[in-house]
Structures are given as structure tokens and as C-alpha cells.
Amino acid sequence: MVGVVVIAAVALAAGYLLGRLRPWQRLGNWAVDQVRFTGAWARGGAGRQAVVVLAHAVTAPRTIWRIMRAPATDAPVPVPVRDPDWVANRTHHDKGGTP
């Protein structure tokens, strides 16, 4: 009888802590941040990419399913034109001013 009470108390405490810490939501937020905001996430190697994609797939399966069902775009991504003297060529609008 005492063992059942201890097990129930431990289960309630664990549930409370998991509810407060929200590890599932934190893992999902981390995966989304890695994919969305860390543009160089691919430089982390195949192992890191696999962990990020797996974490994202586990925490957001509907999003992954929607992404996988979307057709690939055939339009090439335009390469940005680099101006070596961009500081001298900035306009007042580029500096944060009004046009």
C-alpha cells in the first residue's frame, strides 16, 4: 500500500515538472529556430541536420507532412548582386531616412 502511494506521488511530481518545463514544446521551438533562423544550419554536418529534421518531424508532424506534399519549385533562386563599394553608393533611404 505504501509503495502505491509513493509511486503515485512520484508520478504526480513528474507530471507537474514536465508540465512546467514543457520539454516537448522547447524541443519543437529549438528545431524551428534552427531551420528558420540559423541560415547556416546545414554547415553543422549530416548528424546535426538529421537531429534537427528528426526533432522537427517528431514535434510538428503536420507541418512536415505539408512541406513534403508541396511541389518543388522550378524557379531558380536569383543570386544577389554584390557591390564592392556599397557604403559609398548607399542612398538616404538605405541609411534609414525617409525617401
Side-chain angles (χ1 to χ4, degrees):
M1 182 67 177
V2 175
V4 173
V5 173
V6 170
I7 291 173
V10 168
L12 286 173
Y16 174 77
L17 287 174
L18 287 175
R20 296 291 289 168
L21 297 176
R22 300 180 317 240
W24 195 255
Q25 184 178 3
R26 289 176 188 260
L27 177 65
N29 291 345
W30 173 82
V32 168
D33 287 346
Q34 295 301 307
V35 172
R36 185 175 293 158
F37 300 118
T38 311
W41 71 279
R43 283 187 256 158
R48 184 169 188 269
Q49 289 177 26
V51 168
V52 169
V53 170
L54 181 64
H56 195 260
V58 167
T59 57
R62 281 190 236 155
T63 303
I64 291 293
W65 182 251
R66 183 177 42 87
I67 290 170
M68 295 300 290
R69 285 185 16 208
T73 58
D74 292 333
V77 177
V79 177
V81 178
R82 305 284 183 200
D83 183 7
D85 199 21
W86 69 273
V87 174
N89 295 332
R90 289 189 305 173
T91 63
H92 182 68
H93 179 70
D94 293 335
K95 296 176 187 174
T98 55

